[in-house]
Amino acid sequence: MTDQQSTPRPLHIGDEAPNFTARTTMGPVKLADYRGRWLLFFSHPADFTPVCTSEFMALARAAPRFEAMGCDLLALSVDSLYAHLAWVRAIQDGFNVTVRFPIIEDPSMVIGRGYAMINPDAPDAGTLRHSFFIDPAGIIRASISYPASIGRSVDELLRVLAALQHFDAHGEVTPADWHPGEPALMPAQDTQDSMLSAPGLWFHREAKST
Ligand code: BEZ
């Protein structure tokens, strides 16, 4: 078997998110349980570490904003269930923040490897900061990766979710630095006829829905 055959194909935007069953801090979870809702499925390098703790507090505080947008949160790392439980308790006791989303234990790294959350060349087995947005049909719609040293921006995660939902609702694309309520753009013209019949500056037209 070649290296290429033994390495799982990395997941791409547009792929169906592979199903799995896992043990979590809130009981067993199947990815398929989330069908019909948006899901932010994300990995972190290790429990009881500074940046990860800041991210979990930020996400726990922002959970109602994701919920209001029909999006659940699901975390994963290679740490054991009991480490996750102790960390959630320490965050509650130390910061008075309750983490209400499930955290998957993945000590065998089967799920993390399947989602390319683990660098196959890394000297240790920690998951990196990968974030996948999975839509209600179970399709990967966006993925964002950060190194262990940089905490994610919750505002950016919410912005990406809003942009995905805006595209689905209106068929409009979103420009650089777009935020909900700001003008979106008409999608690119992809035929000569549509290009010639489009009014104004045909390759950059504000949309009308907002
Ligand atoms: C952190 O969350 O601070 C962290 C975790 C693993 C490696 C480096 C930093």
Side-chain angles (χ1 to χ4, degrees), residues 44-55 87 124 126-129 147-151:
H44 65 280
D47 298 350
F48 291 102
T49 52
V51 178
C52 297
T53 302
S54 73
E55 286 189 328
W87 187 37
D124 57 33
T127 37
L128 292 176
R129 294 185 206 284
S149 57
I150 301 176

Side-chain angles (χ1 to χ4, degrees), residues 40-189:
L40 172 57
F41 176 39
F42 62 99
S43 58
H44 65 280
D47 298 350
F48 291 102
T49 52
V51 178
C52 297
T53 302
S54 73
E55 286 189 328
F56 268 59
M57 289 197 292
L59 284 162
R61 290 185 175 119
R65 296 169 70 191
F66 285 95
E67 172 65 29
M69 297 169 76
C71 184
D72 291 320
L73 304 177
L74 178 61
L76 174 147
S77 83
V78 300
D79 299 278
S80 75
L81 179 64
Y82 301 102
H84 290 336
L85 290 170
W87 187 37
V88 166
R89 177 68 194 252
I91 291 173
Q92 168 87 56
D93 292 348
F95 300 98
N96 201 24
V97 173
T98 307
V99 175
R100 298 189 195 279
F101 49 83
I103 312 171
I104 293 173
E105 67 161 2
D106 188 29
S108 66
M109 298 181 283
V110 169
I111 302 170
R113 286 215 166 99
Y115 276 79
M117 290 165 161
I118 294 168
N119 180 346
D121 301 325
D124 57 33
T127 37
L128 292 176
R129 294 185 206 284
H130 287 280
S131 310
F132 290 96
F133 281 101
I134 301 174
D135 74 12
I139 303 299
I140 294 174
R141 297 289 299 279
S143 70
I144 307 173
S145 305
Y146 282 56
S149 57
I150 301 176
R152 281 163 278 215
S153 160
V154 170
D155 283 345
E156 175 62 2
L157 294 169
L158 287 162
R159 193 188 78 89
V160 170
L161 175 62
L164 290 166
Q165 294 182 342
H166 187 93
F167 178 80
D168 286 1
H170 303 288
E172 298 168 359
V173 295
T174 46
D177 298 327
W178 177 87
H179 282 90
E182 296 174 0
L185 296 173
M186 297 301 290
Q189 307 294 328

